[in-house]
Amino acid sequence: MLSLPLLPVCREEALRYMGWRGEPDEAFSRLIDDCEQQLRKAVQPRVIYRVLPLTAENGILTAGTLSLPGADITKHLEGCRQILLMAATLSGQADVLIQRAAVSDITSSLAMDALASAGIEQICNRAEAEFHEKLPALYFTWRFSPGYGDLPLELQPDILQLLDAPKWLGLTSTPEHILIPRKSVTAIIGLSEKPLKKTTRGCVSCGLRETCMFRKSGSHC
Amino acid sequence: MLSSLFPDRTFLRLDGGTGSMLQKGGMPTGVLPEVYNITEPQRIIAVHRQFVEIGADIIYTNTFGANRHKMERAGYSVQELISAGIACAQRACAGTNTKIALDIGPIGQLLEPLGTMTFEEAYDIFAEQIEAGQDADLIVIETMTDLYEIKAALLAAKEHSHKPVLCTMTFEQNLRTFTGCTIASMAMTLEGLGADAIGVNCSLGPDELYPILKEMAKWTTLPLIIKPNAGLPDPITGEYRITPADFAASLVQYADLGVSIYGGCCGTTPAHLKAAYDLLEQCTIARRDSEIPPAVCSAAKVVQIDQPRIIGERINPTGKKRFKAALQNGDMDYILDQAVQQTDAGADLLDVNVGMPGIDEKGMMIRTVKALQSIDSTPLQLDSTIPAVLEAALRVYNGKPIVNSVNGEEASLQNVLPLVKKYGAAVVGLTLDENGIPQKAADRFAIAQKILERAQALGIPKRDVYIDCLTLTASAEQDGARETLEALRRVKEELGLKTVLGVSNISFGLPNREAVTRTFLTMALENGLDLPIINPNIPCMTEAVRAYRLLCGIDRNCTEFVEAYAGMTAAAPAVSAAPIPSAQQAEKKPEQLDLPYAMSHGLKNEGAKITAQLLEQTDPMEIVNHILIPALDEAGKWFEQGKIFLPQLIQTAGVAQAAFEVIKTTLIQRDAAPVSRGKIVLATVKGDIHDIGKNIVRVLLENYGYTVLDLGRDVPCQLVADTAKEQNVKLVGLSALMTTTLGAMEETIRLVKAACPDCQIVVGGAVLTADYAAKIGADYYAKDAMETVAAAKKVIG
């Protein structure tokens, strides 16, 4: 398990999540600073991961006891003989701060929510950097999560159980497969001894591509 | 009770890591170990027997996850799995003195407020397990990270059995659990609820748990338990690394802390435990000092009563029309805002009273306590005159609260004190009885003494009894102030009790009330007042308490005082010659500041102030229709044109909201009903918990003068339909953010249409499209909050 304190959050990313384009004015900057300070002080981010062998039987991939259905994950893991299964959370303290802000100031609530989203992304990136250090001989795919492409969200409970995530992270999912605490991620990274074909995470595999506001305005998240 | 099970033991020996032993024995990861109780009992018995053979006093049944939720897919009932688990343990223990503990772990789903499972549901799940495990000798609740969840389990254990209950939680190196629960909160709360021993299991290796147990020992008189892992598992190999000898050497350190119950968790084998038992037999378990500091807590925050602490009095409808209106309309956000304001102003604790004629006080109390817990960790003082309301609040409170109050009347003593004892709260004792409030200090002192005696007779510790010597109005009984202070001083000095006092009443009916109240507060503090109940939003009151702490040398180096007031000299002068550039200070000069400017610049406080000034000469509806709405329309237009972005639109709406609040309060004060354009029901659908979008929509709709009945998130489909029908609304707004919850949206639409065919429905949320919205029967699709307002205008006008 990794315990990573939240570092300063990527401002650009948070602003993008809030729907702000360009430079924020001074007052709004200060509001974001204040929210970020509270968030960084309150959260206890954590990551748990396991390396699992990957097998294919009748075209269906299985990692440990976890079967990974769908064409997209199969394509994603092409050439990989192992996966790194991870779960990360910013902790429930982020949820509480977002709720508290919503009571008296909806703007802070929005800012807090966006900062927390950018925050969990940061934690995942830093965890991945640590994985590279621990597994220097291996090549990594990018992080693929349930809900991307045709990889079903229904995998969440199995992933959490396999990682013992409720115990190590206090991370659970609802019957509708929403992760709680909210600012949490589960992901699959393919591992290979040989260099992998470079692909990047993009809109093609995103479940929200049809309704995405970013795409409509010609950009991406 | 625990010691009577083991009369000859100076310390107790628990077993090791059953789950990790099973895995080592070939159980694949991912299978449910509890099912082995039925399908592979000999494997379970074999693991148990290894621990029985090395001399364990207690073994835990293989029922850690045997709850309804986790065993959904097991193919066996909770009763079957638990009975089989106990049977395995019984066979392993046959012919020995080893006792069997029914093992209960977390449900596996987070409870409210973070999760969607209610406290009551969790209680039912645990009650089922306890009932199924009646053949065990004792109960152990372990590996918990949420104080609320372990409270539900412990309450269920106490109410469904008479067995001793051991409680252990999992802490992190920062001395908190994942959910932020502190060690002191855990110890205080669980001891109060009647646990027989408490401690730590799992989490970390044996050395890393030392500071955790050391802290816990300060906060409880109960026997302490340690059951650590053999270190942390290697993520690549899954191996635990600590050797039996190292494990044993680490464990014996805890004898010095007076820890008396020892075992092992994940990765510990019979060899680890045997080594530990042997070493422990050779050492002496230290005696523990049992002086516990007076304190109350929420899960995440402990407030020690070791210095004057402010209890905020504002969550109380008495004499407040706006608060009463909020209670009548179930306007929880108004109540929560009162909490946020008070804690931001410096309240250490919050009194919560929601009693008024014509409302369901019990239901409201439960809702309010739960809602407060979802946004803030300030401990609460539960305030009601009705014991049933107090009990309901005590059940759902997460931590150790204060009960306000008991008094010297026989009925009160008999009804309230047992509740205080059962739920492990602190209690305020009012010095009045059947004959009213005695005039003389000596008589109030006598009542205080009686309350203390009765509390102690029930086993309520002295440190948890706080006495309120009652403030009388000075304008009516001028000599009363001295009697109150005299009684207070004597209770503090002679009985050694903590004292509490509502001070605001002193100045009732006088001009310049603040001067009188503040002076009385200072006098009371000097006479030993620990818990002043005040309005912390009045700066001079909080200032008096902070200054007192500074002058008494409690606030060392004046740290807190400076932190609270460092910015004050810059902000204080009413006419500032050289304004400091800051967020809250506009570029315009004060006299040119108008409402549209405040709105477009997100100046909330200024917006409220200007509105209050306008209201002195302008008709409220004039302000709404000619200033607020046009400014909002303009912001909405700019937003659509991409000239401003969502945060700016919301900031504008936030200022408008503050302005509306001022208007609303004024209208209620004038006994005029706030004008509404019509009611709209809003909800995030069943199973979905994303509510920021819905909250933004609510604020905007309210800005445009609609009355919004916000049902919150994860709202049962039928409740939306019922509310729409009952309230006869023309428009329902639904939000869903997940593909997995669109089904619930469709179902809700169906039910609403069936209950009230004329009601229109507007839907929104990231995964929706206009086509899909039409397909599931919605009348309108709103891609953003402004479009919802447009739909409302069309449907309602």
Side-chain angles (χ1 to χ4, degrees):
Chain A
M1 194 191 61
L2 305 173
S3 211
L4 306 167
L6 186 62
L7 298 177
V9 173
C10 175
R11 197 50 65 93
E12 268 175 32
E13 192 178 345
L15 283 168
R16 213 161 53 226
Y17 292 153
M18 277 178 250
W20 190 295
R21 274 165 247 158
E23 278 294 305
D25 58 48
E26 205 190 316
F28 196 62
S29 273
R30 202 165 296 115
L31 182 134
I32 296 179
D33 284 343
D34 181 46
C35 289
E36 186 187 7
Q37 211 178 9
Q38 288 182 47
L39 187 73
R40 287 188 55 205
K41 206 171 130 195
V43 298
Q44 311 175 55
R46 253 173 256 104
V47 183
I48 180 90
Y49 63 100
R50 277 183 71 175
V51 173
L52 299 165
L54 193 64
T55 54
E57 222 171 286
N58 304 325
I60 293 187
L61 290 181
T62 306
T65 51
L66 182 73
S67 68
L68 300 169
D72 292 328
I73 188 72
T74 309
K75 187 158 168 260
H76 183 74
L77 296 177
E78 223 171 304
C80 300
R81 285 165 53 192
Q82 285 178 302
I83 63 158
L84 186 149
L85 186 65
M86 65 172 284
T89 181
L90 217 50
S91 77
Q93 281 80 344
D95 299 26
V96 174
L97 278 181
I98 295 166
Q99 280 306 116
R100 187 181 199 268
V103 169
S104 31
D105 186 22
I106 191 93
T107 317
S108 309
S109 179
L110 181 79
M112 199 72 91
D113 190 85
L115 284 161
S117 296
I120 186 62
E121 199 61 23
Q122 177 205 107
I123 296 300
C124 290
N125 290 339
R126 283 166 55 208
E128 201 175 317
E130 294 223 12
F131 304 154
H132 275 292
E133 262 174 47
K134 288 214 165 77
L135 304 164
L138 298 177
Y139 296 89
F140 286 32
T141 67
W142 51 273
R143 300 190 297 269
F144 201 98
S145 294
Y148 287 5
D150 60 359
L151 187 66
L153 272 178
E154 282 70 14
L155 284 184
Q156 297 291 30
D158 297 332
I159 292 178
L160 297 178
Q161 196 198 339
L162 196 55
L163 290 172
D164 223 343
K167 187 169 110 180
W168 296 112
L169 307 186
L171 176 60
T172 64
S173 67
T174 68
E176 290 76 18
H177 315 306
I178 299 172
L179 296 177
I180 302 184
R182 296 263 295 284
K183 299 301 174 186
S184 304
V185 165
T186 61
I188 296 162
I189 298 174
L191 305 176
S192 167
E193 289 90 26
K194 287 178 236 139
L196 290 158
K197 206 168 61 188
K198 266 267 179 276
T199 58
T200 47
R201 181 170 148 190
C203 302
V204 180
S205 62
C206 177
L208 292 176
R209 64 181 173 273
E210 297 308 324
T211 52
C212 174
M213 304 297 273
F214 294 111
R215 264 167 66 86
K216 277 179 199 166
S217 63
S219 64
H220 57 82
C221 66
Chain B
M1 236 181 4
L2 188 59
S3 56
S4 65
L5 278 180
F6 307 96
D8 307 327
R9 299 289 313 163
T10 53
F11 72 95
L12 295 182
R13 296 160 294 188
L14 305 176
D15 60 8
T18 308
S20 46
M21 292 272 290
L22 286 170
Q23 276 172 11
K24 233 180 173 177
M27 184 183 74
T29 48
V31 311
L32 300 168
E34 293 78 7
V35 172
Y36 268 35
N37 293 338
I38 293 169
T39 58
E40 309 263 349
Q42 60 289 358
R43 289 211 207 195
I44 304 296
I45 296 164
V47 171
H48 283 328
R49 194 163 282 152
Q50 292 185 56
F51 290 111
V52 174
E53 278 166 3
I54 60 164
D57 297 302
I58 299 171
I59 58 164
Y60 289 11
T61 56
N62 179 39
T63 54
F64 181 80
N67 64 65
R68 203 188 296 167
H69 170 70
K70 272 192 186 161
M71 295 298 120
E72 215 170 33
R73 293 185 287 178
Y76 299 97
S77 70
V78 169
Q79 179 70 59
E80 287 168 330
L81 292 164
I82 288 182
S83 295
I86 294 176
C88 290
Q90 282 169 335
R91 284 181 54 195
C93 295
T96 69
N97 290 325
T98 305
K99 302 287 182 206
I100 295 166
L102 171 69
D103 187 28
I104 294 178
I107 294 169
Q109 246 205 315
L110 279 189
L111 266 65
E112 56 186 344
L114 288 184
T116 52
M117 179 172 283
T118 65
F119 178 78
E120 294 78 6
E121 284 166 344
Y123 175 93
D124 284 345
I125 287 173
F126 289 124
E128 183 183 21
Q129 290 171 268
I130 310 280
E131 289 290 347
Q134 294 295 347
D135 292 338
D137 301 305
L138 58 166
I139 294 166
V140 56
I141 305 164
E142 64 163 343
T143 328
M144 291 284 180
T145 54
D146 179 0
L147 186 65
Y148 214 27
E149 186 173 1
I150 197 168
K151 172 171 179 174
L154 179 53
L155 258 187
K158 301 299 280 187
E159 292 178 347
H160 291 265
S161 84
H162 298 287
K163 301 185 217 305
V165 188
L166 316 185
C167 294
T168 56
M169 290 181 82
T170 297
F171 287 91
E172 302 295 293
Q173 242 148 352
N174 65 1
L175 306 187
R176 285 177 184 260
T177 69
F178 298 137
T179 58
C181 174
T182 73
I183 294 165
S185 302
M186 179 253 195
M188 237 185 277
T189 306
L190 299 184
E191 177 160 5
L193 287 165
D196 292 275
I198 61 169
V200 184
N201 77 297
C202 210
S203 19
L204 305 161
D207 285 335
E208 291 85 354
L209 293 184
Y210 195 83
I212 296 169
L213 265 298
K214 193 174 171 195
E215 169 74 4
M216 199 175 289
K218 286 186 212 159
W219 291 98
T220 182
T221 59
L222 295 174
L224 290 172
I225 307 165
I226 181 163
K227 208 170 190 283
N229 288 346
L232 287 175
D234 185 299
I236 314 289
T237 63
E239 295 276 318
Y240 288 90
R241 300 193 189 96
I242 293 180
T243 65
D246 288 345
F247 182 78
S250 296
L251 227 53
V252 291
Q253 304 170 70
Y254 292 87
D256 293 342
L257 289 178
V259 174
S260 57
I261 305 173
Y262 295 84
C265 206
C266 307
T268 59
T269 64
H272 287 90
L273 274 299
K274 175 76 168 63
Y277 296 167
D278 289 348
L279 266 190
L280 283 161
E281 289 292 1
Q282 296 162 29
C283 44
T284 319
I285 309 291
R287 273 182 62 89
R288 284 171 45 215
D289 174 21
S290 59
E291 193 63 43
I292 309 297
V296 292
C297 67
S298 65
K301 193 170 179 182
V302 174
V303 175
Q304 282 200 57
I305 320 296
D306 56 353
Q307 56 178 284
R309 300 288 188 184
I310 296 171
I311 302 179
E313 67 182 6
R314 299 295 293 168
I315 303 179
N316 191 323
T318 313
K320 300 189 198 92
K321 282 184 181 168
R322 177 68 185 90
F323 200 103
K324 283 181 186 161
L327 281 180
Q328 258 152 2
N329 302 326
D331 179 359
M332 196 48 75
D333 274 358
Y334 179 83
I335 300 172
L336 295 183
D337 195 30
Q338 299 293 310
V340 171
Q341 282 183 30
Q342 291 184 91
T343 47
D344 286 350
D348 300 297
L349 301 150
L350 295 173
D351 187 88
V352 181
N353 184 320
V354 292
M356 66 178 272
I359 72 153
D360 165 20
E361 186 180 340
K362 187 170 144 186
M364 195 63 197
M365 184 61 127
I366 293 172
R367 270 190 69 198
T368 307
V369 169
K370 286 187 174 186
L372 286 167
Q373 289 177 163
S374 72
I375 58 145
D376 203 272
S377 57
T378 306
L380 303 181
Q381 170 163 289
L382 309 168
D383 182 358
S384 174
T385 51
I386 304 167
V389 173
L390 288 175
E391 172 151 34
L394 283 162
R395 271 191 103 74
V396 301
Y397 182 75
N398 187 12
K400 175 185 173 188
I402 305 174
V403 165
N404 188 13
S405 55
V406 70
N407 63 51
E409 279 181 63
E410 196 48 42
S412 173
L413 293 165
Q414 278 182 20
N415 291 325
V416 177
L417 289 179
L419 295 177
V420 172
K421 169 63 187 162
K422 177 178 175 187
Y423 294 96
V427 63
V428 171
L430 306 182
T431 53
L432 58 83
D433 60 14
E434 287 85 352
N435 306 313
I437 304 172
Q439 241 173 4
K440 290 287 158 206
D443 298 328
R444 291 190 211 175
F445 179 84
I447 297 175
Q449 219 165 5
K450 173 172 156 192
I451 292 172
L452 174 63
E453 278 162 18
R454 293 290 291 271
Q456 283 186 305
L458 282 177
I460 298 168
K462 188 174 164 181
R463 63 176 180 276
D464 289 335
V465 179
Y466 312 152
I467 296 295
D468 184 340
C469 292
L470 301 166
T471 300
L472 301 176
T473 304
S475 57
E477 294 184 59
Q478 210 170 347
D479 297 331
R482 244 183 330 194
E483 295 296 332
T484 300
L485 294 176
E486 165 74 2
L488 193 161
R489 191 185 53 73
R490 286 192 59 197
V491 165
K492 176 87 178 223
E493 284 174 4
E494 295 172 35
L495 296 180
L497 294 181
K498 300 296 174 188
T499 58
V500 55
L501 195 63
V503 294
S504 306
N505 209 19
I506 192 80
S507 59
F508 193 76
L510 290 170
N512 195 4
R513 286 190 63 177
E514 280 179 19
V516 179
T517 311
R518 186 189 58 217
T519 306
F520 180 62
L521 169 63
T522 311
M523 291 165 80
L525 289 169
E526 189 53 23
N527 278 279
L529 177 59
D530 299 290
L531 295 162
I533 305 178
I534 60 172
N535 177 358
N537 302 335
I538 299 175
C540 76
M541 300 297 288
T542 314
E543 284 160 18
V545 176
R546 288 197 175 122
Y548 179 86
R549 287 180 195 151
L550 183 153
L551 294 170
C552 286
I554 296 163
D555 180 5
R556 293 317 295 179
N557 302 319
C558 316
T559 314
E560 283 175 26
F561 194 87
V562 171
E563 194 183 315
Y565 301 113
M568 199 165 162
T569 42
V575 194
S576 55
I580 294 145
S582 89
Q584 295 304 316
Q585 266 166 344
E587 294 145 29
K588 281 195 182 185
K589 287 191 182 127
E591 58 273 20
Q592 293 167 331
L593 238 172
D594 58 12
L595 199 45
Y597 184 89
M599 285 169 73
S600 60
H601 287 73
L603 304 172
K604 222 169 161 173
N605 297 335
E606 282 77 0
K609 238 181 271 166
I610 297 164
T611 309
Q613 284 161 7
L614 284 172
L615 275 169
E616 285 167 18
Q617 297 143 23
T618 323
D619 176 64
M621 288 324 289
E622 169 104 8
I623 301 175
V624 173
N625 292 326
H626 293 114
I627 304 178
L628 285 172
I629 302 276
L632 281 166
D633 282 341
E634 192 175 49
K637 206 169 68 199
W638 284 359
F639 173 67
E640 269 162 38
Q641 293 168 353
K643 287 183 187 157
I644 62 169
F645 311 119
L646 185 63
Q648 290 142 304
L649 176 69
I650 293 172
Q651 269 187 326
T652 305
V655 180
Q657 192 186 21
F660 269 109
E661 182 55 40
V662 174
I663 293 171
K664 208 166 168 182
T665 308
T666 309
L667 286 172
I668 291 172
Q669 232 110 55
R670 293 179 189 165
D671 284 322
V675 182
S676 165
R677 294 169 82 161
K679 285 182 193 165
I680 298 171
V681 168
L682 274 193
T684 298
V685 300
K686 178 75 195 151
D688 210 321
I689 50 170
H690 298 84
D691 59 358
I692 287 217
K694 182 217 67 192
N695 291 342
I696 292 170
V697 168
R698 184 191 67 218
V699 170
L700 274 166
L701 287 172
E702 284 175 345
N703 282 183
Y704 276 89
Y706 300 101
T707 302
V708 177
L709 306 166
D710 184 352
L711 300 178
R713 54 189 194 179
D714 187 25
V715 182
C717 308
Q718 191 63 48
L719 180 64
V720 180
D722 292 348
T723 313
K725 191 170 179 185
E726 263 167 41
Q727 301 285 334
N728 194 23
V729 302
K730 287 191 197 147
L731 183 65
V732 168
L734 299 175
S735 162
L737 264 288
M738 304 282 288
T739 48
T740 45
T741 55
L742 286 176
M745 180 177 264
E746 190 172 1
E747 172 69 2
T748 309
I749 294 174
R750 198 181 62 74
L751 292 171
V752 171
K753 289 288 182 186
C756 23
D758 296 335
C759 184
Q760 305 272 290
I761 292 162
V762 55
V763 297
V767 292
L768 278 167
T769 59
D771 290 346
Y772 195 85
K775 202 180 119 200
I776 60 174
D779 302 287
Y780 296 90
Y781 163 70
K783 76 168 169 47
D784 57 38
M786 287 311 290
E787 286 197 356
T788 314
V789 173
K793 282 181 182 167
K794 266 191 213 153
V795 175
I796 300 173

